[in-house]
Amino acid sequence: MDGTGIDLIVRERMKVVEGDITRLDVDAIVNAANSSLLGGGGVDGAIHRAAGPGLLAECRSLGGCPTGEARITGGHELPARHVIHTVGPIYDQHLPVEAARLLRSCYVESLRLAEEAGLETIAFPGISTGVYHYPKTEACAVAASAAAEWLAAHHLPRVVTFCCFSVADAALYRARLGIVD
Ligand code: ADP
């Protein structure tokens, strides 16, 4: 344990990368979806464009997803084998403590689906930190603590990657996780 409060063995199973999540060769990428699961802007739009129309067709069969929950599909034309769709909270629609509970639930429910499917590697974008306006520092703290707690208690997924879309976001995660590189 160091100043981050994260066990070193757990931290070795967490990675921070900068770039486009649709390019990652992992067992699952997580989509910051909306409750319709029928596509949208931001990372959701990028994932559907890269995965091709088969993903939308599969999503239609799911009948949506409530905030804080997650659903799993195939990866279709993505390098990732699966997409885990989770619906983050719209920050202004909740009290901060409820927004944090819902955001944490997105991470935990996504990790639970990955474990149930026997997946070893998963990559998350910054759920709710785009058009849903969750403050980035607070969202990073929720993401890091939810993932660290999960990893401390579960063998799968083996590795959790935080895929950051900007240098500033990656710096935030590295600082939070105590990663120096
Ligand atoms: P939300 O509606 O949950 O806020 P957004 O897609 O608007 O979702 O944004 C979530 C986060 O995903 C933001 O931090 C944004 O910068 C990031 N993002 C957008 N496109 C990509 C991408 N292709 N790969 C990784 N992250 C992305």
Side-chain angles (χ1 to χ4, degrees):
M1 209 79 95
D2 58 13
T4 64
I6 299 171
D7 186 275
L8 295 182
I9 294 167
V10 164
R11 197 169 66 189
E12 277 173 10
R13 293 167 62 198
M14 301 166 104
K15 290 198 170 119
V16 178
V17 300
E18 282 161 42
D20 180 355
I21 201 166
T22 67
R23 311 294 287 267
L24 297 185
D25 182 3
V26 286
D27 291 332
I29 60 170
V30 177
N31 182 15
N34 59 54
S35 56
S36 76
L37 298 186
L38 298 180
V43 71
D44 195 4
I47 288 172
H48 276 274
R49 275 193 300 280
L55 180 61
L56 183 58
E58 191 179 356
C59 284
R60 278 192 214 287
S61 72
L62 297 175
C65 177
T67 303
E69 293 188 19
R71 302 286 185 267
I72 189 166
T73 64
H76 298 269
E77 294 168 38
L78 289 164
R81 270 69 73 196
H82 301 270
V83 180
I84 294 174
H85 308 261
T86 189
V87 182
I90 298 172
Y91 191 69
D92 293 342
Q93 290 188 354
H94 307 276
L95 291 171
V97 68
E98 176 64 0
R101 188 190 68 77
L102 290 165
L103 185 61
R104 184 179 192 83
S105 174
C106 288
Y107 284 90
V108 172
E109 293 309 311
S110 297
L111 290 162
R112 192 186 314 286
L113 286 180
E115 180 189 49
E116 282 169 10
L119 307 186
E120 300 216 331
T121 53
I122 184 170
F124 285 95
I127 297 162
S128 283
T129 64
V131 295
Y132 284 4
H133 285 129
Y134 205 113
K136 289 198 168 185
T137 305
E138 286 81 350
C140 172
V142 170
S145 82
E149 211 169 279
W150 179 275
L151 291 172
H154 301 258
H155 290 300
L156 288 177
R158 204 168 38 76
V159 176
V160 171
T161 297
F162 296 105
C163 181
C164 300
F165 208 43
S166 70
V167 173
D169 291 354
L172 201 58
Y173 273 86
R174 289 199 180 102
R176 182 66 190 77
L177 298 173
I179 294 174
V180 198
D181 56 13

